[in-house]
Amino acid sequence: MDCCPSSRRQALLWAGLVAVLPFADVATGAGAASAAARPKGLLVTDLEVVTVTDTSVVITWFTGSTTDADRYGAPTPVPADTELLLGEPGNPGSLRTVLHDTAPTAFHYAEVHGLEPGRTYAFQGRSAGQVAQQAALQFPGSGGSMDAPGVFTTLVPPPGRHLFTVALCNDLHMGEQTAGIIVGDWPPSFQQDPGLPPYPEVMLEALLDDLRKPDRGADALLVAGDLTAEARPRDVARVRQLLDGWGRLSRDYFVARGNHDRPHVGKDYAGCTPVPGADDHHDCWGDTFPYRRQTLSTHEVGGLRIIGLDTTTLDAAGGTLDDGQLADLRRALREDRDRPTLLFGHHPVTFESAVTTAAGPGFDLDQGRARELEALYRRTPGVFFHHCGHTHRNKRTFAQDSSAVEFLEVAATKEYPGGYALLRCHTGGYQVNFYKTRTELAKRWSQRTRAEYFGLWPHYTLGTIADRNHTVLRDLSGLVPVG
């Protein structure tokens, strides 16, 4: 029996039911209005301002049929052109086309560079001359930032020269075959189309392909857990093979274990190393990646100290740090308290994360250990960033009594929104930007899985613009360029 996914998804079930039943007509997929009730024509919808840097923006949307539905009840994709217009806020007449791609697609990914830092732009996405409509239920961002319809503001870059870029991702779920389930076959879940590669492979390969391209260009990659669906040997081997095709473990990419990667029981795992003190559990993930359960790993990129934490338990979705690993972490940080340090692990830490997670506080790091970890960070001035996954959302939080350390949850790679974050380090600070992956198969799967949990999934997982795109001032002048 798989203990861990069900506890998270049961909580999402109740949250989804409470939220969706009063207004099921706003949802897509299973909760959408019937195809017969839709007017004839082209549906141009789901517009999202995904990425905003100091000089660029990525805006996505979808074109579908208003009369035909796929097997999930969602509009069938209809290819059309991609046009993006930018102008001055409050002046519709100033809108001018800055991108027009006539290659037909239903999954529109408009990316424009050369923008001015710190400037507010009005925008409009169009396909077949029709204006794309922003997705419903856009929520306020942190720090007063709003996902306001029709405008975005570019970031101000960190001061100093760019040093290197670290990519952050999590929740690959290699081996998973069905997305969005709670229990059994309910609610409506999602599968890959016959004849196409498994969607976890599609999404991971799209991520790695992105990171090879000059316009993304990561110098290192951190994977914060749930590399596999259930740590079966063939799935662990496959995810290691794909990651090894991008770089070398512990030099170019670094991994931490997630709850799905935990030691398992059963005949599928009998050939793997047994866990001391729990001989019925076998650690297939640890046989392929050289980190045993509840051990930390320490790495270095351009002078940046990177510490990976194993926050997993044997049989629960929630996380913890045992006494031995916490003691090891104290010793590691005490060796050089002022050295710029980034930590990553699967489970979120902060109280704000715990009380806003759909599955409740028990889904995050044990809150007693979480407070100890935050206290340790306060005593280590060099610690400035903690990356985690598990919640499948973009969410930026801080400890209750300090903003010195950013705790960043990054949305899942394996499903909507389907992407990764880039941490661009400069001598005077860093910039965080979230990107969706952009191969055609990845965009298709991302659009399909928007409809998870009765169409509420995007409003929980995408996060605000401020969550997924921001600049932080910090003295990182002790770091050095990579490559």
Side-chain angles (χ1 to χ4, degrees):
M1 178 178 179
D2 182 2
C3 70
C4 299
S6 59
S7 63
R8 171 172 66 89
R9 288 166 177 164
Q10 287 288 356
L12 285 172
L13 160 63
W14 297 114
L17 281 177
V18 169
V20 77
L21 287 178
F23 50 89
D25 59 311
V26 307
T28 57
S34 67
R38 300 181 186 126
K40 292 183 179 180
L42 182 69
L43 184 69
V44 187
T45 188
D46 295 336
L47 181 140
E48 292 169 341
V49 181
V50 179
T51 310
V52 181
T53 77
D54 52 317
T55 60
S56 66
V57 67
V58 177
I59 300 175
T60 65
W61 65 91
F62 168 74
T63 47
S65 172
T66 59
T67 58
D68 298 324
D70 66 15
R71 60 188 171 120
Y72 297 104
T76 56
V78 175
D81 64 323
T82 302
E83 184 179 10
L84 181 65
L85 298 87
L86 297 182
E88 298 292 334
N91 182 8
S94 68
L95 288 170
R96 297 289 184 271
T97 298
V98 295
L99 180 151
H100 191 192
D101 188 347
T102 59
T105 180
F107 313 103
H108 304 272
Y109 193 105
E111 181 168 1
V112 173
H113 294 262
L115 306 182
E116 295 181 19
R119 176 179 171 184
T120 300
Y121 291 85
F123 72 92
Q124 193 175 90
R126 292 180 185 172
S127 289
Q130 186 172 327
V131 176
Q133 299 302 307
Q134 188 159 334
L137 297 179
Q138 297 297 301
F139 296 140
S142 59
S145 172
M146 297 286 287
D147 288 5
V151 298
F152 66 87
T153 302
T154 52
L155 300 178
V156 175
R161 61 173 177 153
H162 175 257
L163 298 168
F164 52 81
T165 298
V166 179
L168 313 174
C169 76
N170 39 262
D171 296 282
L172 313 180
H173 287 224
M174 190 63 58
E176 185 178 280
Q177 298 180 14
T178 302
I181 60 172
I182 294 173
V183 60
D185 294 326
W186 194 86
S189 53
F190 300 87
Q191 295 181 328
Q192 181 65 287
D193 289 331
L196 294 180
Y199 64 81
E201 296 196 18
V202 166
M203 302 305 283
L204 177 55
E205 288 181 326
L207 182 154
L208 299 175
D209 181 66
D210 256 14
L211 299 186
R212 294 184 184 101
K213 295 186 183 305
D215 60 349
R216 300 291 186 263
D219 298 291
L221 169 64
L222 307 185
V223 189
D226 281 2
L227 283 74
T228 66
E230 295 302 333
R232 291 184 173 87
R234 65 177 179 274
D235 298 327
V236 183
R238 180 58 174 155
V239 74
R240 173 74 192 262
Q241 178 186 28
L242 292 174
L243 290 169
D244 283 351
W246 185 81
R248 184 182 299 176
L249 177 65
S250 299
R251 187 195 69 180
D252 305 310
Y253 76 92
F254 313 99
V255 300
R257 188 196 303 260
N259 59 295
H260 284 266
D261 306 316
R262 72 194 186 282
H264 282 60
V265 299
K267 63 180 182 180
D268 289 346
Y269 308 94
C272 300
T273 300
V275 175
D279 292 347
D280 58 336
H281 291 72
H282 292 81
D283 189 3
C284 299
W285 191 91
D287 286 348
T288 298
F289 294 97
Y291 312 113
R292 290 299 171 187
R293 198 179 69 85
Q294 283 292 324
T295 60
L296 60 79
S297 58
T298 303
H299 318 280
E300 184 270 335
V301 172
L304 174 66
R305 178 169 54 185
I306 298 175
I307 299 178
L309 302 175
D310 184 342
T311 58
T312 64
T313 61
L314 276 181
D315 294 306
T320 193
L321 288 170
D322 68 13
D323 292 341
Q325 186 176 188
L326 193 57
D328 289 342
L329 179 60
R330 289 193 184 100
R331 283 191 292 270
L333 294 181
R334 192 165 53 234
E335 289 177 0
D336 192 348
R337 296 174 63 251
D338 296 315
R339 182 177 180 181
T341 300
L342 179 156
L343 295 99
F344 73 110
H346 191 57
H347 292 82
V349 176
T350 66
F351 180 75
E352 181 183 349
S353 175
V355 298
T356 60
T357 297
F363 192 60
D364 283 21
L365 191 69
D366 169 75
Q367 289 300 289
R369 287 305 200 198
R371 302 292 82 76
E372 290 184 69
L373 194 62
E374 290 173 347
L376 177 58
Y377 291 175
R378 285 195 298 273
R379 298 192 299 270
T380 313
V383 173
F384 69 95
F385 198 94
H386 185 114
H387 161 223
C388 48
H390 196 45
T391 56
H392 294 208
R393 65 179 177 175
N394 291 309
K395 180 73 172 176
R396 182 192 189 203
T397 63
F398 299 90
Q400 289 182 281
D401 56 356
S402 174
S403 60
V405 180
E406 173 177 342
F407 294 83
L408 184 69
E409 300 161 50
V410 177
T413 295
K414 65 102 174 179
E415 64 194 348
Y416 176 90
Y420 55 94
L422 292 183
L423 176 71
R424 296 182 169 102
C425 293
H426 292 241
T427 53
Y430 63 87
Q431 184 177 121
V432 168
N433 297 110
F434 178 79
Y435 292 87
K436 292 180 180 179
T437 51
R438 51 187 168 166
T439 67
E440 198 69 8
L441 286 180
K443 291 186 292 184
R444 177 182 294 272
W445 178 251
S446 179
Q447 177 64 29
R448 174 170 293 177
T449 51
R450 284 182 63 91
E452 287 184 12
Y453 306 104
F454 304 100
L456 291 179
W457 198 230
H459 314 300
Y460 175 68
T461 58
L462 183 60
T464 67
I465 288 179
D467 282 326
R468 60 186 184 267
N469 301 284
H470 49 269
T471 296
V472 175
L473 302 182
R474 176 91 184 196
D475 182 7
L476 300 178
S477 59
L479 304 181
V480 298
V482 173

